[in-house]
Amino acid sequence: AYATAPALLYVAVLMASGLKLIEWDDVTEAAPAVVTALMMPLTFSIANGIALGFVTYAILKALSGRWSDLNPSVVIKKAIRTVPDWPKPGVAFRDITTVLQDRTAFRKLIDAFVHRYHGHDIDAVAAVDARGFIIGSALAYELNASLVLIRKKGKLPFDTLVEDYELEYGTASVELHKDAFKRGDNVVL
């Protein structure tokens, strides 16, 4: 078992560093895997070694002031850019392009929705134009559901249902095809 520890240590460090050159901060990322690899022979159990690795990870995150990195909501909120006074004065626009550019935040966002709705027999994901298309398509794929596009008025070519709504800076309308859903479908909007 001790002969495998150096190999496991090497793999753990590579995995923790994202298969790139290791930076000083990566030490806290690699430590749990290193502890796991080294402690497995001593604990006589893979499960005990892995559990010890997770405990080490949580302790190092807390001590390094990065405990919030474990909370998906915090990671996602940090990644959203707020643009003041856009598109008009007094409006604080929440720009999610920064979430999409941050692969960790984007994965945590999609995973949060997938975990929330997995096992609920979702038939369709209805995604609102246009940012919703990005998140909705990934979610529909992961849930093995259909994707229904809710578009801005005048963009769909078939019989539609229209809904008007108010924004902070005006009014708008969205529509979807009348045949987008079947009676009894479970839909995530």
Side-chain angles (χ1 to χ4, degrees):
Y2 285 106
T4 61
L8 289 173
L9 174 63
Y10 179 72
V11 170
V13 170
L14 284 178
M15 288 173 59
S17 67
L19 300 176
K20 62 178 171 51
L21 293 175
I22 298 172
E23 298 172 8
W24 183 250
D25 284 344
D26 293 330
V27 172
T28 60
E29 300 294 327
V34 172
V35 169
T36 300
L38 294 176
M39 293 304 292
M40 266 193 266
L42 301 176
T43 60
F44 305 104
S45 161
I46 292 174
N48 286 346
I50 291 171
L52 187 56
F54 280 119
V55 168
T56 304
Y57 179 72
I59 290 169
L60 287 171
K61 283 290 192 177
L63 292 176
S64 68
R66 294 171 53 197
W67 179 257
S68 62
D69 291 353
L70 297 174
N71 183 337
S73 296
V74 173
V75 173
I76 295 163
K77 284 179 185 177
K78 282 183 180 179
I80 297 172
R81 174 175 32 214
T82 300
V83 181
D85 298 321
W86 196 86
K88 73 176 206 176
V91 174
F93 183 78
R94 306 290 187 216
D95 180 13
I96 67 156
T97 60
T98 48
V99 174
L100 304 175
Q101 293 166 349
D102 180 332
R103 62 180 163 208
T104 300
F106 185 51
R107 176 163 296 283
K108 287 183 183 289
L109 175 66
I110 298 303
D111 287 350
F113 280 115
V114 169
H115 293 301
R116 181 175 185 169
Y117 295 109
H118 183 75
H120 290 278
D121 296 320
I122 302 300
D123 298 301
V125 174
V128 180
D129 204 336
R131 291 174 282 177
F133 296 169
I134 299 164
I135 296 165
S137 59
L139 181 59
Y141 175 81
E142 288 293 329
L143 294 175
N144 195 32
S146 66
L147 176 67
V148 174
L149 303 181
I150 300 175
R151 302 286 320 260
K152 294 174 184 164
K153 190 173 181 178
K155 299 288 185 178
L156 293 174
F158 194 64
D159 294 336
T160 61
L161 300 170
V162 179
E163 181 68 27
D164 300 321
Y165 63 97
E166 292 190 26
L167 300 164
E168 297 165 327
Y169 49 88
T171 59
S173 300
V174 291
E175 61 185 3
L176 64 102
H177 284 134
K178 286 183 178 179
D179 61 355
F181 305 111
K182 296 185 293 292
R183 183 174 299 280
D185 276 354
N186 287 326
V187 179
V188 171
L189 174 62

